[in-house]
Structure formats: structure tokens, C-alpha cells
Amino acid sequence: MSQRTKVKQILADEKVQYDVTVKGWIRSFRNNQFIALNDGSTNNNLQIVIDPATDPALQKRFTAGAAISVRGEVIASQGKGQRVEVKAREVEILGDSDPEKYPLQLKNKPSLEYLREIAHLRFRTNTFGAVFRVRHSLAFAVHQFFNERGFVYLHTPVITASDAEGAGEMFRVTTLPLNNLPRDVDGEIDFKEDFFGRATNLTVSGQLEGELGAMAFGDIYTFGPTFRAENSNTARHLAEFWMIEPEMAFYDLEDNMNLAEAFIKYVINYVLQHNREDLEFLAQRLVEEEKQKPQQERSEMSLLEKLEFVVNNEFMRLTYTEAIDILKNSKPNKSKKFQYLIEDWGADLQSEHERYLVEKHFKKPVILTDYPAAIKAFYMKQNEDGKTVRAMDILFPGIGEIVGGSQREENYDKLVTRMEQMHLPVEELSWYLDTRRFGACPHAGFGLGFERLVLFVTGMGNIRDVIPFPRTPKSAEF
Amino acid sequence: MSQRTKVKQILADEKVQYDVTVKGWIRSFRNNQFIALNDGSTNNNLQIVIDPATDPALQKRFTAGAAISVRGEVIASQGKGQRVEVKAREVEILGDSDPEKYPLQLKNKPSLEYLREIAHLRFRTNTFGAVFRVRHSLAFAVHQFFNERGFVYLHTPVITASDAEGAGEMFRVTTLPLNNLPRDVDGEIDFKEDFFGRATNLTVSGQLEGELGAMAFGDIYTFGPTFRAENSNTARHLAEFWMIEPEMAFYDLEDNMNLAEAFIKYVINYVLQHNREDLEFLAQRLVEEEKQKPQQERSEMSLLEKLEFVVNNEFMRLTYTEAIDILKNSKPNKSKKFQYLIEDWGADLQSEHERYLVEKHFKKPVILTDYPAAIKAFYMKQNEDGKTVRAMDILFPGIGEIVGGSQREENYDKLVTRMEQMHLPVEELSWYLDTRRFGACPHAGFGLGFERLVLFVTGMGNIRDVIPFPRTPKSAEF
């Protein structure tokens, strides 16, 4: 098949007087002469100028959504809005699009909610075109960042027999016949008959397996799907989402913070370099969206300013204890505006507290460290004060927690004692504990929810709009 | 924490007379003087020379697997096997390793089967160090190949309500209480009560969702985990494996073959450039392994020769019909050596036939096209002969099918007719069919099983040895 030239390249080259074949989908057709052609390589359309004498029957088929192939010459454009356009010599309809039925007509701009219902077609809009090209670039930047630093990409398992981490509710995975479940002698379901010979679930995190890799390769990262069977119907939660989890041997908490901060800045900088047009479109979209809001609720910075700000400024670092002091003495706490008032050290921070610190108090990304052990996971390194752990959370404006991490407890006895206190099955996790029996070393790691990052970078408001086909309670379409 | 220098860098630089801090795990300690230190950045150990006057109590702790931190000076090595070594000024034990208990002693070389049982530690061996660094590089090369060509990386869903594709047996995903399943009025299990409000499974392929993306972005690819609940206990099957599935608008079968061939050559070439030492180690490992085999069963080419051969030679392309003719007249068919004799056109090819074509007849990778429609999936483009489809399988020596793909049927009526013939739920897949209703165009794609590729490139014999924690029938350890 004759190869096509992509629209992005024709527009970027700005060369004229050469022949091309372009293929894509019609966005609009006006004045019986101008086709706006989009091929998904960029949001910018290529203007195709057709001979007004073109068969009217053919012209009638130049409808939104139709796929066409065009042969013609690239020429300097007479009109506004583009430097070059294609003077068509031949237009072939590859696939029609019935204007009575096609849901994406330019005239009635569809809402994001409606587009979620037709997620299989929403990629064809400017908003989702930009969102998913940015998502692509962020994903590539993730791999490039770690590859450049000699990290090994580790595919940790999705199906797991371990349910010990307690990171969240899990989905059961089974091939047992639900209508005729095998029972053991005690009448219990006999998971020995299940595919894996035991009960299995979908992973909530690749961290524990990641640590095994770090104890051999030094630096590893995961980037894969993780799952939470939690009935959270919010704009920030998904039942299936992608997570990035680096684990590094010979890292302490400060190294961990340095890496996480460098990582976030690197990937944002990458899209600033590679997706300028998409970001400018999304910035404008956000401005339009916020016009509906009262002035004081609108963003203080434009999307691009916000991204530049994150790249160019150091994140604020402070301990949980320092944060509690700030929150205790804050105006919304004193005037009882917080839903959960901060009274004592040890309180778990709610979204309202995180947002106050990030958006009102510091007005920049914040890294909180050294949380109370009681509200953090068993594997975090215990501080000498006997009550805090070497945890770190990175909090972002509008998003809240985007990274959670810690130095890991490498001392076998301390770790086992902690697991026993928390009633975790020490025996079952003996493979994990082996990393503390053979050549233990200080190490650290973190997890970053990829969709939260995409949400922040694209300025979208709902996490369902930054993953192709969202999985949420009562919804698994497509 | 003071940053360490990685062993790979010290060995590559070959500079001398500068101070470093290195950290890693002891592989061996000999003559009360020489520590072989490995940090996972390369299989090559860094020789650490300690002062023979070092406290004997400390020396006793220099055991295989122990984690240490070393400060010292990089000097030219007096011994054989390395250009530089580190003269230690200070050695600190970070974590001991009890030689009575540590399973990886150099003296008794563990078998691959045994190492599978301790998969959490096998990363620390030379074989698995090399395998997983090569796997990492292949994964990075996959992303780089597609990114360079403007493909969008699409994360298709892992949990799916669609079970229509028929690519294989599926795992059920549920949060229903198995001991107390909700029933509807007819006594059937009420999946409306399940997390997603319907029955869901783990995906067997992201292709159908991928096509939706291709119809907007032009070129997309997926790279994620896929699942088969098949009771196949072989050296080539996993229940959980990673698959790469590109989908391209405006591609016909030939474009598809060209892309697949270029893709495979690109990623293999990438590891030839970036993982030379690992490949040389794996090549030597294969030679050792094959010494146990009779001469005629050993590989004709070394691992590196085989990889160079694939990169530098065109794949053989022929139709299924041509292949059947060759097989029918082949020696093993005439002498009835094949388990399944080839008699008539229409026969499904078995592994023995594929291997004959690739390993005996052509002695190179083979792309077979235009298979009988009856043995291929519903979405493949129907040829005008009324009996074959525009399918392509790429067959590799020692591996068999490494890629399966096709041009897709873009004609709505033909596709629906085929689905009805195959008793597929047309209504349920209306979102998929919408790509044929609105702006359909010729398009194509393929799927490549990532572990099969890693198997080929590393020369390993069992697919369980090229994924960190294999999931197979009756086994979901770690």
C-alpha cells in the first residue's frame, strides 16, 4: 500500500511544491472546497483544497468522521491559520460516516461525561487526542529516565497469591466453576482445585517483588497495572490503574526524595519539550472550563505556567510533625473550617489538610516525611524515636498524594516484630524476608500513580478521562 | 547517603588513581585478600583487594551474598581478568549472609529447575542477571522503536467484560463472596451484584481496543500483561505473559509484514549493541548446556551468530498454500515421520510442521500468509477467493510462532456476517463494529509474545526462566 505522509510532518516541515499522499478522517468540510483533515498525529488539521467542480455526489460524502485518502500537492496556504495546505488532485473515500448517526459533530460540542460513554470514539476529539498523546509521552519519558540511569525494568506479577500487604481490597482471580464450587472435607471452598492450586488475587503493588530485584540489580522499576477493589466512586480513583514503582538498593530516604523529585521534573520537562501544541490546547481547554467557575476558584496559574513552576522550583520538604504544627495553628483549623480538625499528633492527614499545605501554605509541591508508624505500612524503616517511620509522601496541587514511598526496614528482627504486631503472616512472606537474611542493605523506593500524574499534566479534572477505558464500580465497558 | 559508583562504570572507564565508594554483594572471597564484588549493573565482578592484616573476625564475614560498602582507590590490576581493581581503604558489612544457609554457593552450581524454586534469589546469579538485563533492554527498545515512528502507547484494559474474542480460556475476576453467592430470581449467579455490575475476566488481548485507538491516532501499540487460563504445562506457555500489539490505520498485509520484520530486527539489534557482554555470557552458557546433547541436536550457530543472522537476512515470505505444498512433499511427511501427516489443504499447522519449514527447509525466519479462514479469528480480512484470510504468522527457529497478525476486515457487512457464522455476540461488540460504521479504512496489526522474544534472544530453553515470577498451572509463588 502506498505509504502516507503524516499531517504532523507536513505541517512541521513547511516545505511546499511537492506531491504527497495523506490519509485521515474528515473533521469538517466547508464552502464546498475546504476539508479539515486529521490523522491523529497532531491536533492540527491539514487543510485540503478540492476542485469546486468535484462531483457533487462525492462531495456529499465529505462528512465528519469519514476516512479519506488524498493525493495532491503541498502548497503555500492562502488562508489564515496554516502555512501550508494540500491542493487535492484525487480524493478517495475509504469509509463513509453517516452524519445522521455519527456522534461527534462539531456543531453540538459533546460533554466529557457523554464522551466517557462513547470512550471508543472519544480519541477522535481534540481534547482526548491531546490527553492520550501526552500520556504516551509521559510513559515514554518514564522508561527513558530509568533506562538512562541503569535501572532494570522488572515485570512483577499481576496475579498473586499474596494478600499480605494490606494496601487495599483485592479482586479474586479464579477458574473454579462458580456454580459448582469444589469443597474440601471441612466444607470450605477447595482452592487446591483452582488454576494455581491456591487462592489468587490481582496485585495491589509490585513493591515486594521489586525489592527482590533491587537486592540483585541495585536499581529496578516496575511500570504496570495494579488494582483496588474499593467502592470509591470519585474523580481520583480507579479500580485498575498503572503504577510506577522504583526500588533502589543503597538508598536512604533523602536519596529517595531526590530521585522522586528529579523523576517528576524529568517527565514533565519531557512533555514540555515534546508536546507543546497538545499542552497549549489543553491549557486553553482548562481556561474555557474554568470560565464557568467563580473567579476565586479558578487556577492562579495557567497549565503551562504550573508545569514550568514544578520543573523550576524545589519541592518543599518537611516532616509530618512540622506539618501538624502548621495545620494546628492554621486559620481553617482555628476557625473550624476543616471537616476533620487537627488536634493531636498522630492524626492521619485528610485531603483537605494536604491541599491546605500545598495550595495555601507553601504554594508548591510538598514532600512530607517521617509519619507516625501507626498509620503506615509494615515495611517502612523505623526511626530511632520509636514512633515514626522513614516514609515520604509527595503532595501536588489539585491532586493530593502523587507519590508514596519510604526507606524500607532492612533489619530482619525489627521487620518480623512489626509484622507480628500487625498480625501479618510471617511464614507466608518468608521469600520477602530472605532479602533481610542474605545480604540486607539500606534501600528505599516509591510508587507513583501514573494516572494522577497524567491528570496533573493535562489539567483534566476526572481520572476517568486520562485512561483509555476506565474501570470503576459498576463500569467495565469496552 | 554518599552516592556509590556502579561497577559497570568503573570497569568501562578503565581510569585509575581516583577514590570511589562501591556497594554490592560478595560473590566470592579468596586467598584472604580478593573479594569479587557484584552490584547487578553487569555480570562482571569488581575485584576488591583488602589489606591482609584486616581483622580476621571481619574477614570471616566476607561470605557469598553478604552486602558490603567499600571505600578505596581504583588502581591498575596486577592480576588477570580485569584491567582495574579497587584497593580497599575501608570495608563495611551492610548485611551478612550465613554461608550455611545461603542457597547460592559458587561451589555447587544450582540447576535452572532449583533456581525456579528460589526465583526471589535467582536474579543474583550470572545467568539470570544477564537474562533480565537483556529483557530490560528489549522492553526499552520496543518503546523506542514505536516512539520514534510516532505510535501512541495505549494502555488497554486488563479487566474486561468482553469474552467474545475466543483467543483462549479466561480467568474470572470477581469480588462476589464465593461462600455466599448472590442469586437472581432464576437462581443464577447475579453478576449485577459483582464489582463491575457484570461478569468480568482477565484480558486475552488488547487488540480490539487497540483498533479503536488506531482509528483515531493512526498508529498505536499496546505493551501489557495478557492471560490464558489454559492447562498447558509446557516450556513455551505461561498463564500470565506480556504482549506487544501494534495496530495501524491505512496498513495492508504487506505493510504489516514490513513493520513486524523491521520491529524484530530493531529490538534484536538494540541488544546486540547494548548488551554484548550479557549475550556473550548467555552464548557460552548455551554452549555448555548443549554439551550434554548429542552432536546433531546442538545449535548450528552460536547465539550471537543466530541473532546477527536474523538481523541481516530477509525473512522468507510465502502463503499457507505454498507451505502446504512444501510440507506435503517433504521427507518427514512421505516417510510418515510427522505425528500429524499433511494430506489436505486446510490442515492446521502443528509445531512440527512450523519447525520443519523454519529449521530444515528455509533455515531462516518465515512469514506465512493467507491462511484458511476456518482456522483463524473472525476479524481477519477475507480474501476474494472466499476461503482464505489476510493473516500472517511469523515463525522462528526453536520458538515457533512469535508473531500472529493480519489485515483486519474493515467491511461492516462482511464482518457481521462472519461473526454471525461463528456465533459471536454482534450486539455486545457494537463498540468494536462502530469502527466499521464511521470512517472505516484498511488497517492491520499484530501481536508479539514478549517472553517468546526474550526466549529467542537469550537462548534460554524454558519460558519460566525469562519472566521474573512465572505463573503456570498450580504455581503462583512469590
Side-chain angles (χ1 to χ4, degrees):
Chain A
M1 184 169 283
S2 67
Q3 283 301 307
R4 66 185 172 116
T5 305
K6 290 195 179 179
V7 168
K8 184 179 183 178
Q9 193 188 323
I10 294 170
L11 296 179
D13 283 355
E14 298 194 346
K15 287 189 301 182
V16 291
Q17 290 182 314
Y18 64 101
D19 282 1
V20 285
T21 300
V22 290
K23 299 179 185 183
W25 294 269
I26 294 175
R27 282 287 169 89
S28 67
F29 179 51
R30 63 188 173 81
N31 298 353
N32 295 338
Q33 202 176 1
F34 302 111
I35 293 173
L37 186 75
N38 190 286
D39 71 357
S41 61
T42 161
N43 266 352
N44 295 320
N45 300 322
L46 178 65
Q47 178 155 292
I48 310 289
V49 186
I50 65 156
D51 183 343
T54 302
D55 177 7
L58 183 62
Q59 289 195 38
K60 268 199 114 161
R61 296 168 67 192
F62 295 162
T63 58
I68 59 172
S69 174
V70 178
R71 289 197 311 121
E73 187 185 7
V74 182
I75 58 171
S77 177
Q78 310 298 311
K80 273 186 202 159
Q82 67 271 326
R83 305 283 285 273
V84 297
E85 62 192 23
V86 168
K87 194 177 167 201
R89 198 172 299 126
E90 191 188 327
V91 181
E92 183 193 352
I93 302 272
L94 300 173
D96 287 294
S97 175
D98 184 342
E100 302 294 317
K101 291 178 185 157
Y102 189 57
L104 298 171
Q105 302 292 341
L106 275 189
K107 287 155 202 164
N108 36 1
K109 202 185 166 190
S111 69
L112 294 176
E113 289 73 20
Y114 172 64
L115 289 172
R116 237 169 267 152
E117 288 170 27
I118 52 165
H120 62 303
L121 296 174
R122 67 178 177 171
F123 300 129
R124 302 184 184 191
T125 65
N126 281 335
T127 296
F128 289 96
V131 164
F132 289 107
R133 277 190 301 271
V134 168
R135 184 181 167 112
H136 161 80
S137 286
L138 284 169
F140 184 72
V142 167
H143 288 296
Q144 190 164 275
F145 175 86
F146 288 118
N147 185 62
E148 283 175 356
R149 280 156 189 78
F151 282 59
V152 170
Y153 180 27
L154 205 69
H155 288 119
T156 51
V158 171
I159 298 172
T160 170
S162 139
D163 58 358
E165 206 207 331
E169 292 296 310
M170 301 179 95
F171 289 99
R172 172 61 40 95
V173 174
T174 183
T175 56
L176 291 178
L178 298 189
N179 264 318
N180 185 19
L181 290 165
R183 303 276 171 176
D184 63 19
V185 287
D186 299 323
E188 298 294 319
I189 295 166
D190 189 1
F191 287 106
K192 286 206 185 69
E193 298 285 308
D194 209 346
F195 188 90
F196 295 106
R198 55 204 292 185
T200 51
N201 303 296
L202 291 179
T203 186
V204 292
S205 161
Q207 177 199 319
L208 302 192
E209 290 89 354
E211 285 186 49
L212 308 176
M215 294 300 107
F217 296 108
D219 301 325
I220 68 93
Y221 71 107
T222 74
F223 187 179
T226 45
F227 304 85
R228 296 280 188 287
E230 273 155 30
N231 207 353
S232 302
N233 240 321
T234 84
R236 296 196 307 160
H237 290 89
L238 291 166
E240 173 179 326
F241 56 99
W242 284 65
M243 192 138 73
I244 296 144
E245 297 182 284
E247 286 291 327
M248 296 73 64
F250 315 115
Y251 265 52
D252 64 15
L253 189 66
E254 197 186 337
D255 299 325
N256 203 22
M257 287 192 278
N258 293 344
L259 183 79
E261 184 169 339
F263 169 64
I264 292 173
K265 287 176 171 175
Y266 180 99
V267 298
I268 293 179
N269 204 39
Y270 184 93
V271 293
L272 283 168
Q273 307 277 330
H274 291 81
N275 294 72
R276 202 79 195 179
E277 287 173 359
D278 289 323
L279 291 176
E280 280 166 4
F281 176 86
L282 291 167
Q284 190 53 38
R285 189 207 69 85
L286 190 59
V287 169
E288 300 291 333
E289 187 182 81
E290 291 196 338
K291 276 186 186 157
Q292 337 260 323
K293 290 186 184 175
Q295 185 73 45
Q296 71 272 21
E297 285 179 29
R298 296 179 200 168
S299 308
E300 286 175 30
M301 286 189 245
S302 76
L303 181 62
L304 280 152
E305 284 167 344
K306 193 181 71 170
L307 299 178
E308 305 270 8
F309 181 85
V310 167
V311 167
N312 294 322
N313 286 278
E314 289 193 359
F315 296 1
M316 183 67 209
R317 300 181 184 191
L318 71 160
T319 66
Y320 165 90
T321 304
E322 290 164 335
I324 286 288
D325 281 344
I326 292 168
L327 289 167
K328 233 197 235 170
N329 296 313
S330 71
K331 232 164 119 181
N333 203 53
K334 289 184 166 170
S335 62
K336 312 209 168 181
K337 286 261 168 67
F338 281 148
Q339 200 188 335
Y340 297 88
L341 294 182
I342 297 290
E343 287 166 1
D344 299 310
W345 189 94
D348 205 353
L349 300 187
Q350 306 296 322
S351 172
E352 58 182 344
H353 308 129
E354 295 176 349
R355 295 192 66 159
Y356 174 82
L357 289 169
V358 172
E359 293 164 24
K360 304 288 176 198
H361 191 83
F362 292 113
K363 291 180 185 287
K364 55 158 68 177
V366 167
I367 312 185
L368 284 190
T369 63
D370 301 285
Y371 281 76
I375 58 173
K376 288 291 180 183
F378 74 93
Y379 47 70
M380 297 192 177
K381 186 172 174 66
Q382 298 156 38
N383 276 319
E384 288 181 3
D385 63 13
K387 56 181 192 172
T388 60
V389 288
R390 297 298 270 160
M392 66 171 206
D393 281 1
I394 303 186
L395 311 176
F396 257 48
I399 305 291
E401 184 191 322
I402 194 165
V403 161
S406 74
Q407 189 170 336
R408 314 308 188 190
E409 182 56 75
E410 82 267 25
N411 182 289
Y412 181 86
D413 293 328
K414 285 187 188 175
L415 186 58
V416 168
T417 302
R418 183 91 185 112
M419 289 174 75
E420 284 168 350
Q421 285 168 353
M422 295 174 78
H423 307 292
L424 290 167
V426 174
E427 190 55 41
E428 225 174 80
L429 282 177
S430 64
W431 50 270
Y432 177 67
L433 292 167
D434 273 358
T435 50
R436 277 69 172 174
R437 294 172 69 210
F438 304 116
C441 67
H443 65 290
F446 62 85
L448 176 139
F450 186 58
E451 282 74 20
R452 296 247 174 120
L453 177 67
V454 183
L455 207 53
F456 179 76
V457 173
T458 59
M460 299 296 285
N462 191 313
I463 203 160
R464 294 162 205 217
D465 294 335
V466 300
I467 190 166
F469 302 99
R471 267 66 183 117
T472 55
K474 302 296 169 204
S475 173
E477 307 298 315
F478 313 106
Chain B
M1 185 168 283
S2 67
Q3 284 301 307
R4 66 186 172 114
T5 305
K6 291 194 179 180
V7 168
K8 185 178 183 179
Q9 193 187 325
I10 294 169
L11 295 179
D13 284 354
E14 297 194 349
K15 287 188 301 185
V16 291
Q17 290 180 314
Y18 64 102
D19 282 1
V20 287
T21 299
V22 290
K23 299 179 183 184
W25 294 270
I26 294 175
R27 283 286 169 89
S28 66
F29 178 52
R30 62 187 174 81
N31 297 354
N32 296 336
Q33 203 177 357
F34 302 111
I35 294 173
L37 186 75
N38 190 286
D39 70 357
S41 60
T42 161
N43 267 353
N44 295 320
N45 300 323
L46 178 65
Q47 177 154 293
I48 311 289
V49 186
I50 66 156
D51 183 345
T54 302
D55 177 6
L58 183 62
Q59 288 196 36
K60 269 200 112 162
R61 297 168 67 193
F62 295 162
T63 58
I68 59 172
S69 173
V70 178
R71 290 197 311 121
E73 187 186 4
V74 182
I75 58 171
S77 178
Q78 310 299 311
K80 273 186 202 160
Q82 67 273 326
R83 306 284 284 273
V84 297
E85 62 192 19
V86 168
K87 195 178 164 199
R89 198 171 299 124
E90 192 188 325
V91 181
E92 182 193 353
I93 302 273
L94 300 173
D96 287 294
S97 175
D98 183 343
E100 302 294 318
K101 292 178 183 158
Y102 190 57
L104 298 170
Q105 302 291 342
L106 275 188
K107 287 155 202 164
N108 35 1
K109 203 184 165 190
S111 69
L112 294 176
E113 290 73 19
Y114 172 64
L115 288 172
R116 237 170 267 152
E117 288 170 27
I118 52 164
H120 63 304
L121 296 174
R122 67 178 177 170
F123 300 129
R124 301 183 184 191
T125 64
N126 281 336
T127 297
F128 290 96
V131 164
F132 289 107
R133 276 190 301 272
V134 167
R135 183 181 167 113
H136 161 81
S137 286
L138 284 170
F140 184 72
V142 168
H143 289 296
Q144 189 165 274
F145 175 85
F146 288 119
N147 184 64
E148 282 175 356
R149 281 156 188 78
F151 282 60
V152 170
Y153 180 27
L154 205 69
H155 287 120
T156 50
V158 172
I159 298 173
T160 171
S162 139
D163 58 357
E165 205 206 331
E169 292 296 310
M170 300 179 96
F171 288 100
R172 172 61 40 93
V173 174
T174 183
T175 58
L176 291 177
L178 297 188
N179 265 318
N180 186 18
L181 289 165
R183 303 276 172 177
D184 63 18
V185 287
D186 299 324
E188 298 295 319
I189 295 166
D190 189 3
F191 286 107
K192 285 204 187 69
E193 299 286 310
D194 209 346
F195 188 91
F196 295 106
R198 56 206 292 186
T200 51
N201 303 297
L202 291 179
T203 185
V204 293
S205 161
Q207 177 200 318
L208 302 193
E209 290 89 355
E211 285 186 49
L212 308 176
M215 293 301 106
F217 296 108
D219 300 325
I220 67 93
Y221 72 108
T222 73
F223 187 0
T226 45
F227 304 85
R228 295 280 188 288
E230 273 155 29
N231 208 353
S232 302
N233 242 321
T234 83
R236 296 196 308 160
H237 289 88
L238 291 166
E240 173 180 326
F241 57 98
W242 285 66
M243 191 140 72
I244 296 145
E245 296 182 285
E247 287 291 327
M248 295 74 63
F250 315 116
Y251 265 53
D252 64 15
L253 189 67
E254 197 185 338
D255 299 325
N256 203 24
M257 287 192 277
N258 292 344
L259 184 80
E261 184 168 340
F263 169 65
I264 292 173
K265 288 177 172 175
Y266 180 99
V267 298
I268 292 179
N269 204 39
Y270 184 91
V271 293
L272 282 168
Q273 306 278 329
H274 290 82
N275 293 71
R276 202 78 195 180
E277 287 174 359
D278 289 324
L279 291 176
E280 280 166 3
F281 176 86
L282 291 166
Q284 189 54 37
R285 190 207 69 84
L286 190 60
V287 169
E288 300 293 330
E289 188 182 81
E290 292 196 337
K291 277 185 186 158
Q292 337 259 323
K293 292 185 182 174
Q295 186 73 44
Q296 71 272 21
E297 285 179 29
R298 296 180 200 168
S299 307
E300 286 175 31
M301 286 189 245
S302 76
L303 181 62
L304 280 152
E305 284 168 343
K306 191 180 72 170
L307 299 178
E308 305 270 9
F309 181 85
V310 168
V311 167
N312 294 324
N313 286 279
E314 289 193 359
F315 297 1
M316 182 67 209
R317 301 180 184 191
L318 70 161
T319 65
Y320 165 89
T321 303
E322 290 164 335
I324 286 288
D325 279 345
I326 292 169
L327 289 167
K328 234 199 239 168
N329 297 314
S330 70
K331 233 164 118 182
N333 203 54
K334 290 186 164 168
S335 62
K336 312 211 170 181
K337 285 261 169 65
F338 281 148
Q339 200 187 337
Y340 298 87
L341 294 182
I342 296 290
E343 287 168 358
D344 299 310
W345 190 94
D348 205 351
L349 299 187
Q350 305 297 321
S351 172
E352 59 182 343
H353 308 129
E354 296 176 349
R355 295 192 68 159
Y356 174 81
L357 289 170
V358 172
E359 294 165 23
K360 303 290 175 195
H361 190 83
F362 292 112
K363 291 177 184 288
K364 53 158 69 179
V366 167
I367 312 184
L368 283 189
T369 63
D370 301 285
Y371 282 77
I375 58 171
K376 288 290 180 185
F378 73 93
Y379 47 70
M380 296 192 177
K381 187 172 173 67
Q382 297 158 38
N383 276 320
E384 289 181 4
D385 63 13
K387 56 181 194 172
T388 60
V389 288
R390 296 298 269 161
M392 66 171 205
D393 281 359
I394 303 186
L395 311 176
F396 258 47
I399 304 290
E401 184 192 322
I402 194 165
V403 161
S406 75
Q407 188 170 337
R408 314 309 188 189
E409 181 56 76
E410 82 269 23
N411 182 289
Y412 180 86
D413 293 329
K414 284 188 187 172
L415 187 58
V416 169
T417 303
R418 183 90 184 112
M419 288 173 75
E420 284 168 349
Q421 285 169 353
M422 294 173 80
H423 307 292
L424 289 168
V426 174
E427 189 55 41
E428 226 174 80
L429 282 178
S430 65
W431 51 271
Y432 178 67
L433 291 168
D434 273 358
T435 50
R436 277 67 172 176
R437 293 172 69 210
F438 305 117
C441 67
H443 64 290
F446 63 85
L448 175 140
F450 186 56
E451 282 74 20
R452 296 245 175 123
L453 177 68
V454 183
L455 206 53
F456 179 76
V457 173
T458 59
M460 299 296 286
N462 192 312
I463 203 160
R464 295 161 204 215
D465 293 335
V466 300
I467 191 166
F469 302 100
R471 268 67 183 114
T472 54
K474 302 295 171 204
S475 174
E477 306 299 314
F478 314 105

